[in-house]
Amino acid sequence: MASSEWQEIYRSYTSDELAAAITALKEQESLFSAQQVGSKSYTKDLRELRDKLHAAVRVQNERSLSPAHKNYGTTNFGGLSF
């Protein structure tokens, strides 16, 4: 599930910044998850990376929706008779 903290952060990005962040996250996802160089080893949390990517894509999708398709609705009880 997308991290709400990351969604909040990505909502502050411009569209160009968000697109660049998504591109960078996609590139990182395809790289190594662990690497050793000499006596040093490096690991990256792929779950955190996926959460960040999911949050960024979710924010990008939110922006592409028209106002009529936002995540809320209005109930119409006009057809009911009591």
Side-chain angles (χ1 to χ4, degrees), residues 50-69:
R50 273 186 245 123
D51 286 346
K52 289 169 70 172
L53 181 58
H54 185 220
V57 170
R58 177 168 284 195
V59 170
Q60 190 176 51
N61 289 341
E62 286 173 357
R63 290 180 182 181
S64 68
L65 293 174
S66 69
H69 293 96

Side-chain angles (χ1 to χ4, degrees), residues 25-55:
L25 289 167
K26 286 180 178 179
E27 288 173 359
Q28 290 179 40
E29 188 179 43
S30 64
L31 296 175
F32 64 89
S33 63
Q35 180 180 17
Q36 185 167 350
V37 179
S39 64
K40 295 185 179 187
S41 62
Y42 304 92
T43 60
K44 93 170 105 168
D45 184 358
L46 294 179
R47 184 69 199 155
E48 176 72 14
L49 184 62
R50 273 186 245 123
D51 286 346
K52 289 169 70 172
L53 181 58
H54 185 220

